[in-house]
Amino acid sequence: MNIINFTPVAATIGGMIIGLAVVMFFLFNGRLIGISGIAANALSEKNNRFDNLLFLIGLVIGPILYTLFTNKEINITISNSLILLIIAGLLVGIGTRISGGCTSGHGISGLGRFSLRSIIATITFMIVGILTVLIKNYI
Amino acid sequence: MNKLISLLAGIIFGIGLVVSEMINPEKVLSFLDVFGNWDPSLAFVMIGALIVSSPMFHLIKNNKKPLFTDSFNYSKNKDINNRLIIGSSLFGAGWGLGGLCPGPAISSIALLNINSITFVVAMFVGFYLVKFFKLSS
């Protein structure tokens, strides 16, 4: 194991900003943030649809505002294989709805309220994620 | 007012994804590459988020009601079953393949990157399939 590109300060500050969004949504609106649930329900549930859509719009505006105010470009590196991305997207969409949460819903909101269900979900998707990268990169 | 909060919470969450670099699939894949070239940063995203949100959650949940809506509304589901494990495993596999989970994927629409948009469309098809076959938790 080699440790590379380690940026703990930016990661912690970014995490705290995410935590602030979670607290705000809970204190004012009484809901816990889980992006897979918000996105899926925005599509198919009448209940809270407008709130869910506004949240998703905010999620997209956030990076744009960041670039406008800091003048920093956001660079991402993503796979060029559309087939791989379609399979990955399907797995993420199907998996998060069957298990009722993703990195935010189980990993932050669920862990934060000490839900055993979410702790087990988070450990499971972390282990399978690590194994998937291991298989993809080294086998 | 609660509509404004929904929009603002989304914006703040999206900015957090950029600042932490969680929006970058390469960063996520290095985080998952524990046995190779490992970048542990994203563990600190979770720690940062939990330091802020967990104590506040336990304080706020004792309030009679949220400030702008009538009642608290979050999952009380405690079931630990096959669905939880199978769903989380499928999600983990997809996360490890592409390096994208739902939040960063949707936020990255802002970058107008055709690859991440393809992922998001496939993800929504996945959401719909689970709804259609009534498999959701």
Side-chain angles (χ1 to χ4, degrees):
Chain A
M1 182 211 292
N2 305 307
I3 301 234
I4 57 157
N5 300 332
F6 188 35
T7 53
V9 177
T12 308
I13 294 171
M16 292 173 91
I17 295 172
I18 290 170
L20 182 70
V22 172
V23 170
M24 198 171 127
F25 205 49
F26 190 61
L27 176 68
F28 291 105
N29 291 8
R31 295 174 62 198
L32 281 171
I33 291 179
I35 311 283
S36 55
I38 290 176
N41 289 334
L43 189 80
S44 59
E45 293 284 329
K46 286 205 178 71
N47 211 0
N48 286 327
R49 174 173 275 167
F50 192 43
D51 280 277
N52 290 336
L53 283 173
L54 284 171
F55 182 91
L56 296 178
I57 291 168
L59 210 49
V60 178
I61 295 176
I64 297 171
L65 291 179
Y66 174 89
T67 310
L68 285 178
F69 284 107
T70 62
N71 252 328
K72 281 187 207 157
E73 214 180 321
I74 303 167
N75 291 308
I76 65 167
T77 308
I78 181 169
S79 163
N80 276 319
S81 162
L82 290 184
I83 298 287
L84 179 140
L85 289 167
I86 289 169
I87 294 169
L90 284 171
L91 286 169
V92 169
I94 292 169
T96 52
R97 293 313 289 155
I98 291 180
S99 74
C102 57
T103 338
S104 52
H106 281 310
I108 294 172
S109 298
L111 245 52
R113 64 191 176 92
F114 310 138
S115 151
L116 183 61
R117 176 177 152 82
S118 289
I119 294 169
I120 290 174
T122 305
I123 292 171
T124 307
F125 67 66
M126 287 277 181
I127 291 175
V128 176
I130 289 167
L131 290 176
T132 305
V133 169
L134 181 70
I135 292 167
K136 203 177 63 175
N137 286 357
Y138 303 101
I139 294 175
Chain B
M1 278 308 280
N2 63 325
K3 303 284 179 263
L4 183 65
I5 295 293
S6 297
L7 182 67
L8 273 176
I11 290 174
I12 294 171
F13 198 104
I15 291 173
L17 291 173
V18 175
V19 171
S20 65
E21 284 188 72
M22 189 139 186
I23 197 169
N24 185 0
E26 189 181 45
K27 188 95 178 160
V28 175
L29 291 176
S30 317
F31 168 67
L32 294 172
D33 193 8
V34 175
F35 300 105
N37 293 315
W38 189 37
D39 174 0
S41 308
L42 294 194
F44 288 76
V45 181
M46 216 168 212
I47 293 168
L50 288 172
I51 289 172
V52 173
S53 65
S54 191
M56 291 306 290
F57 168 79
H58 289 95
L59 276 176
I60 296 166
K61 72 171 185 187
N62 298 322
N63 293 359
K64 280 203 189 70
K65 65 187 210 56
L67 297 179
F68 295 154
T69 57
D70 296 332
S71 61
F72 286 104
N73 172 17
Y74 58 94
S75 169
K76 305 279 197 307
N77 188 345
K78 288 193 163 64
D79 297 348
I80 293 160
N81 50 24
N82 290 341
R83 275 182 167 183
L84 183 71
I85 305 297
I86 292 167
S88 299
S89 300
L90 295 175
F91 167 45
W95 195 35
L97 275 181
L100 284 159
C101 56
I106 292 170
S107 259
S108 69
I109 291 175
L111 309 174
L112 300 176
N113 179 313
I114 186 69
N115 296 340
S116 64
I117 291 171
T118 303
F119 177 94
V120 171
V121 172
M123 181 176 79
F124 273 94
V125 172
F127 290 157
Y128 180 77
L129 287 174
V130 173
K131 171 94 182 163
F132 186 79
F133 291 105
K134 298 190 167 60
L135 293 169
S136 63
S137 263

